[in-house]
Amino acid sequence: MKRIVKACLLVFFILLLAVGLLASRIYLYSNASSDGPSDAAIVLGAAVWGANVSPVFKERINHGIDLYRKGTVRKLIFTGGQGNPGEPTESSAARDYALQLGIPAGDILIEEKSHTTYENILYAKQLTDAHGLRKVHIVSDPLHMKRAVAMARDLGLVADPSPTPSTRYQGLRSQAGLLAHETYYYIGYLLRRPFVKVAHA
């Protein structure tokens, strides 16, 4: 009986160590950012509040617009479907916000079907393929970068990270909660990865 308990404890601590190492990799990757030029920025969707983008989404959109104005990207791809009945899709709300800030309509692409990070990127890739866009920046919150860029590269995109320079997730508790969330979902993606659509360039 003692041997079984010891074996279970050993397995538990090994799993705990593995999760801790993965969380540390996610945290360290949040600082990775590419300044090189690309064809488009894929701005990952977030919540819409009524007809307006949420503060978290606004941070992402503003960063994408900043990349566009600097000449780092030529196109903006906004992602995200409808969250609640009666609300606009996340991507259409983002487009409206960008248009109000003077971004030309011809340089904005949207997909309105996605509800998850993986779908954000999958449907955005359909747009990059249709418009001949080969290299992209992935725009999202810093702790979201590891999972999002992994998905993008698995789907065959030449993708670089471009996290928002500021985040609405402030404070130790908020950051720890988001890191735990990302670690959980990244583990889930790694487990599902052999069974999802993956393209190796």
Side-chain angles (χ1 to χ4, degrees):
M1 184 67 179
K2 289 184 178 179
R3 288 183 178 179
I4 295 175
V5 172
K6 287 182 178 180
C8 289
L9 286 173
L10 179 61
V11 170
F12 173 77
F13 283 116
I14 290 173
L15 290 174
L16 190 63
L17 178 62
V19 170
L21 289 173
L22 185 59
S24 68
R25 290 179 62 192
I26 292 170
Y27 180 79
L28 292 172
Y29 195 81
S30 69
N31 295 316
S33 182
S34 172
D35 296 325
S38 67
D39 298 316
I42 297 178
V43 180
L44 301 186
V48 169
W49 293 356
N52 301 313
V53 296
S54 64
V56 169
F57 200 11
K58 185 178 290 187
E59 293 284 341
R60 300 179 186 183
I61 300 166
N62 284 339
H63 183 51
I65 289 173
D66 188 50
L67 293 175
Y68 176 86
R69 287 176 171 166
K70 288 179 178 178
T72 303
V73 302
R74 297 187 292 107
K75 300 284 186 181
L76 294 172
I77 301 176
F78 296 124
T79 67
Q82 186 180 51
N84 299 309
E87 291 181 344
T89 61
E90 294 170 3
S91 55
S92 65
R95 176 185 58 195
D96 291 345
Y97 177 82
L99 289 172
Q100 291 172 9
L101 294 180
I103 305 301
D107 288 338
I108 299 174
L109 301 171
I110 66 171
E111 67 78 23
E112 299 183 273
K113 298 182 293 183
S114 64
H115 293 93
T116 65
T117 297
Y118 182 79
E119 289 179 351
N120 284 165
I121 299 168
L122 177 65
Y123 296 135
K125 186 176 185 298
Q126 293 177 0
L127 292 174
T128 63
D129 290 346
H131 292 268
L133 306 172
R134 301 182 181 279
K135 185 178 180 181
V136 300
H137 279 70
I138 304 296
V139 174
S140 190
D141 299 279
L143 290 174
H144 198 193
M145 281 290 103
K146 181 71 173 174
R147 180 163 60 104
V149 172
M151 289 177 173
R153 291 175 178 171
D154 284 346
L155 285 167
L157 284 163
V158 179
D160 287 329
S162 189
T164 56
S166 59
T167 177
R168 300 294 297 187
Y169 297 101
Q170 300 291 340
L172 181 60
R173 178 180 293 183
S174 181
Q175 288 280 301
L178 184 58
L179 180 59
H181 173 277
E182 277 303 313
T183 303
Y184 174 80
Y185 279 98
Y186 191 51
I187 290 172
Y189 176 68
L190 293 178
L191 293 174
R192 296 192 311 273
R193 190 173 182 266
F195 308 102
V196 299
K197 181 180 178 181
V198 175
H200 295 286

